[in-house]
Amino acid sequence: MKVARELNYKPNKIAQSLAIGSTKTIGIMCFDLENNYFASLVDVIEGIAKNEGYFINLILTHGDPKKEREGIAYLEERHVDGIVLFSVCKDADYSTYLQSLGIPIVTIYNRISEDFTFIGVDAKKAMRDAVKYIAGKGYERILFLNAKITSKKKQGMNVYTLQERQDGYLQGLREIGLHDPIVLEGLDEEAVSSAICANSGRRTAILCISDMYAVSVLELCKKKHWDVPGDVGIMGYDNMDMLQYIAPRICSVGYDVHLLGKQLVTVLLETMCSDAPSSDHMMDYCFTDGESL
Amino acid sequence: MKVARELNYKPNKIAQSLAIGSTKTIGIMCFDLENNYFASLVDVIEGIAKNEGYFINLILTHGDPKKEREGIAYLEERHVDGIVLFSVCKDADYSTYLQSLGIPIVTIYNRISEDFTFIGVDAKKAMRDAVKYIAGKGYERILFLNAKITSKKKQGMNVYTLQERQDGYLQGLREIGLHDPIVLEGLDEEAVSSAICANSGRRTAILCISDMYAVSVLELCKKKHWDVPGDVGIMGYDNMDMLQYIAPRICSVGYDVHLLGKQLVTVLLETMCSDAPSSDHMMDYCFTDGESL
DNA sequence: TTGAAAGCGATACCAG
DNA sequence: CTGGTATCGCTTTCAA
């Protein structure tokens, strides 16, 4: 040991990994970091993984399924011990391909199949309750603003969470006896405006797939000089930090990102040890009150 | 090759790295990803590095010098080919220690020493010009709101960029003949309010170390019912995306984050090949006009 | 062109 | 408890 110190010996983790067959590395496959939701989650995961002695290999897909496949191949070659996967791919082949790798995988945001543990919020339930929450504020007409889910589907992309949220909206609407669901896809100002205007005198709210959409709708309302929440109600999803700086404060669906990251890593580590897939974890959520409803 | 395909052969990058002595991996040592500025930059770096065939090992320090030192040690053990370093450490020993590792390092945000290539915006010049820009809008009194630079210094932290920005402010003030610099440290509402109020009838602007501080000052002004930009002018730094959703639109110092990331990776790759430290790159910046001045 | 052997830097087993 | 050796999977060199 004395000689080792004198020669300034440093163990070579590469050789160690090769010999021991484990890299002590976790791969994170994520969309992007521009979105604060993803960035926060990666931030939390890194911290917890590091505490547990694991390193992070980060790969971003920017929504490109090809990049995801390539990224998975890289992670396989690099022999990461586990993967946190925000997937944009979806087909049966992909699921069996992932399964064949024999690498523990935990999915988040989009589910791939029942074969992989999923950690997240029960988006369907959250949106169903959000509809009731909005109705409770006296709105008689509730629109849903989704991303361009149909075209994403056509491109063979994974739209699990978008679909869940939309289904939750539809279910919520049925349960409160409103039978004219209106789903908008993408932020086309014309389309959104005319949908809002066709209200036949009923107070209208718009439930958005995410806070970014909600913020854009708010911008639109300001431009059109519509009063929020008087003329138009707005609700977002994710409760991003940024909302607190925007007036009026947009109501949103929030959850504990730190806890989510914690569970993600815990379950992944569990899977890595026991070699058996763990059960899903559904997080709690809560509505953050604001001035937009 | 046919047999290889049949047996579904996949090269083992770990063994390859060991044999070849290169991991094709770049380490990114960064503060956090909560800050959109850092998150964007990491996002850009990942994309460009991947295009060049390099992988990302991400380590976050959350401003803790101890975590940075540990992180560097990990990256050394893992034999990354190069490091992008957002440093919070600063002392002569640290610089020579890093030098002794023999790993190509490019620094950003905070400079460590002349021995390491630095890529970034000339913050001193930017702030000096910002003072003139503000003065040009008719303000006769300009305050500077910094982070808690003094206490960070005492803790032995690297405050290079904070100091540069502050020095730029001081220099700009001298050059336009204003001789009462007022530097505030940290967002103490009391202190900021009273500094703003002690204006002796002169129109007052507050130049902030970053957009987050600028946004908070705006919040404060709203709470105090001060008119922006009538009573108080505000200017930020970084020109974060978020500003476009906040009214009034805060003026800021912007620059091309994508280009910054591109240069970072390019220079790092250059250093990795030639083995000689490259020269610094100073980015252009521009003032984004808004409604807060 | 092909094949065999030595190394990269650790771990792990087995005899002494 | 110590010291030698095979192994991990690949690159590289050298000989055939």
Side-chain angles (χ1 to χ4, degrees):
Chain A
M1 292 305 285
K2 202 180 291 176
V3 172
R5 209 163 300 126
E6 277 164 15
L7 295 179
N8 195 25
Y9 168 78
K10 307 262 177 68
N12 181 330
K13 287 282 177 193
I14 305 294
Q16 205 170 337
S17 295
L18 182 61
I20 205 170
S22 151
T23 52
K24 282 283 178 183
T25 300
I26 288 175
I28 301 182
M29 176 82 65
C30 184
F31 296 166
D32 63 47
L33 299 177
E34 296 291 348
N35 189 320
N36 182 255
Y37 164 79
F38 298 130
S40 290
L41 210 41
V42 172
D43 189 310
V44 170
I45 294 170
E46 191 274 346
I48 298 170
K50 187 161 59 190
N51 269 343
E52 302 289 334
Y54 285 87
F55 255 57
I56 297 302
N57 248 171
L58 178 69
I59 302 185
L60 268 23
T61 62
H62 286 272
D64 182 349
K66 187 161 149 267
K67 282 190 181 158
E68 179 173 331
R69 283 169 212 272
E70 287 173 2
I72 292 286
Y74 280 127
L75 292 177
E76 185 197 4
E77 290 177 351
R78 303 245 165 179
H79 291 249
V80 296
D81 294 342
I83 298 176
V84 173
L85 182 53
F86 299 57
S87 185
V88 289
C89 297
K90 173 144 198 102
D91 48 64
D93 288 354
Y94 188 58
S95 178
T96 56
Y97 162 66
L98 288 180
Q99 202 81 44
S100 76
L101 301 180
I103 305 173
I105 293 179
V106 170
T107 56
I108 180 166
Y109 194 76
N110 281 331
R111 194 189 280 277
I112 291 180
S113 78
E114 300 294 329
D115 297 332
F116 299 98
T117 310
F118 180 82
I119 312 286
V121 172
D122 188 339
K124 188 190 280 185
K125 187 157 161 289
M127 281 307 199
R128 193 194 63 194
D129 290 351
V131 167
K132 295 177 183 175
Y133 180 80
I134 294 171
K137 298 273 185 179
Y139 291 89
E140 306 146 297
R141 186 167 171 264
I142 303 173
L143 317 181
F144 186 71
L145 175 56
N146 203 337
K148 295 190 176 172
I149 185 174
T150 307
S151 79
K152 281 178 199 277
K153 264 188 205 165
K154 273 189 196 138
Q155 289 169 52
M157 288 175 67
N158 193 325
V159 294
Y160 176 80
T161 202
L162 300 181
Q163 188 69 58
E164 283 284 300
R165 295 182 196 181
Q166 179 166 319
D167 289 350
Y169 157 75
L170 295 173
Q171 187 181 334
L173 222 55
R174 274 196 307 274
E175 289 184 12
I176 60 171
L178 253 44
H179 295 291
D180 54 345
I182 298 180
V183 174
L184 301 161
E185 294 194 8
L187 200 86
D188 176 346
E189 294 202 357
E190 290 274 326
V192 174
S193 301
S194 62
I196 289 175
C197 289
N199 55 17
S200 317
R202 288 170 300 169
R203 269 190 88 203
T204 298
I206 180 158
L207 176 57
C208 302
I209 193 78
S210 76
D211 287 336
M212 285 311 296
Y213 280 85
V215 169
S216 296
V217 169
L218 178 60
E219 293 280 296
L220 176 64
C221 290
K222 284 179 180 167
K223 206 162 71 180
K224 297 274 186 179
H225 302 289
W226 293 333
D227 180 50
V228 175
D231 299 328
V232 181
I234 301 176
M235 182 154 194
Y237 191 100
D238 283 341
N239 195 33
M240 288 171 48
D241 279 348
M242 168 182 155
L243 292 188
Q244 68 193 91
Y245 302 111
I246 296 171
R249 176 61 161 88
I250 293 173
C251 301
S252 191
V253 180
Y255 46 87
D256 186 336
V257 177
H258 194 277
L259 185 58
L260 183 54
K262 175 100 185 157
Q263 293 198 344
L264 219 39
V265 178
T266 308
V267 170
L268 183 57
L269 259 42
E270 225 173 270
T271 313
M272 279 158 45
C273 292
S274 75
D275 216 34
S278 307
S279 55
D280 296 351
H281 279 235
M282 285 311 194
M283 297 268 306
D284 279 339
Y285 54 85
C286 67
F287 300 121
T288 54
D289 225 356
E291 305 148 347
S292 69
L293 281 179
Chain B
M1 293 303 284
K2 203 181 290 177
V3 173
R5 211 163 299 128
E6 276 165 18
L7 294 178
N8 195 23
Y9 168 78
K10 306 262 178 68
N12 181 331
K13 288 281 179 193
I14 305 294
Q16 203 171 336
S17 295
L18 182 61
I20 206 171
S22 151
T23 52
K24 281 286 178 181
T25 299
I26 289 175
I28 301 183
M29 175 83 65
C30 184
F31 296 166
D32 63 46
L33 299 178
E34 296 291 349
N35 188 320
N36 181 254
Y37 165 78
F38 297 131
S40 289
L41 210 41
V42 172
D43 189 309
V44 171
I45 293 170
E46 191 273 347
I48 298 169
K50 188 162 56 188
N51 269 344
E52 301 289 334
Y54 285 86
F55 254 58
I56 297 303
N57 247 170
L58 178 69
I59 301 184
L60 269 23
T61 62
H62 286 270
D64 182 349
K66 186 161 149 268
K67 282 192 182 158
E68 178 173 332
R69 283 169 212 272
E70 288 173 1
I72 292 287
Y74 279 127
L75 292 177
E76 185 199 3
E77 288 177 352
R78 303 244 165 181
H79 291 251
V80 296
D81 293 342
I83 297 176
V84 173
L85 182 52
F86 298 58
S87 185
V88 288
C89 297
K90 172 144 200 105
D91 49 64
D93 287 354
Y94 188 58
S95 178
T96 56
Y97 161 65
L98 288 180
Q99 202 82 44
S100 76
L101 301 181
I103 304 174
I105 293 178
V106 170
T107 56
I108 178 164
Y109 194 77
N110 281 331
R111 193 190 280 276
I112 292 180
S113 79
E114 300 293 330
D115 297 332
F116 298 98
T117 310
F118 179 82
I119 311 286
V121 172
D122 187 339
K124 188 190 281 184
K125 188 158 160 289
M127 281 306 199
R128 193 193 63 195
D129 290 351
V131 167
K132 295 178 183 175
Y133 180 81
I134 294 170
K137 297 274 185 179
Y139 291 89
E140 306 146 299
R141 186 166 171 265
I142 302 173
L143 317 181
F144 186 72
L145 175 56
N146 204 337
K148 295 189 175 172
I149 184 172
T150 307
S151 80
K152 280 177 199 278
K153 263 187 207 164
K154 271 187 197 142
Q155 290 170 51
M157 288 175 66
N158 192 326
V159 295
Y160 175 80
T161 202
L162 299 181
Q163 189 68 58
E164 284 284 298
R165 295 182 197 182
Q166 179 165 318
D167 289 350
Y169 158 76
L170 295 173
Q171 187 181 334
L173 223 54
R174 275 196 307 275
E175 289 183 12
I176 60 170
L178 254 44
H179 295 291
D180 54 346
I182 298 180
V183 174
L184 301 162
E185 294 194 9
L187 200 86
D188 176 346
E189 293 203 356
E190 289 275 327
V192 173
S193 300
S194 63
I196 289 175
C197 288
N199 55 16
S200 318
R202 288 170 301 168
R203 271 190 87 201
T204 298
I206 181 158
L207 177 58
C208 302
I209 193 78
S210 76
D211 287 335
M212 285 311 296
Y213 280 85
V215 169
S216 297
V217 169
L218 178 60
E219 293 280 296
L220 176 63
C221 290
K222 284 178 181 170
K223 205 162 72 182
K224 297 274 186 181
H225 301 288
W226 293 332
D227 180 52
V228 175
D231 299 328
V232 181
I234 300 176
M235 183 154 192
Y237 192 99
D238 282 342
N239 195 32
M240 288 170 50
D241 279 349
M242 165 182 159
L243 293 188
Q244 68 193 90
Y245 303 111
I246 296 171
R249 176 62 162 89
I250 295 173
C251 301
S252 190
V253 180
Y255 44 87
D256 186 337
V257 177
H258 194 276
L259 185 59
L260 183 55
K262 175 101 187 159
Q263 293 198 344
L264 218 40
V265 178
T266 308
V267 170
L268 183 58
L269 259 41
E270 224 173 272
T271 314
M272 279 157 47
C273 292
S274 74
D275 215 35
S278 307
S279 54
D280 296 351
H281 279 235
M282 285 312 194
M283 296 269 307
D284 279 339
Y285 54 86
C286 67
F287 300 123
T288 54
D289 224 358
E291 306 148 347
S292 69
L293 284 178

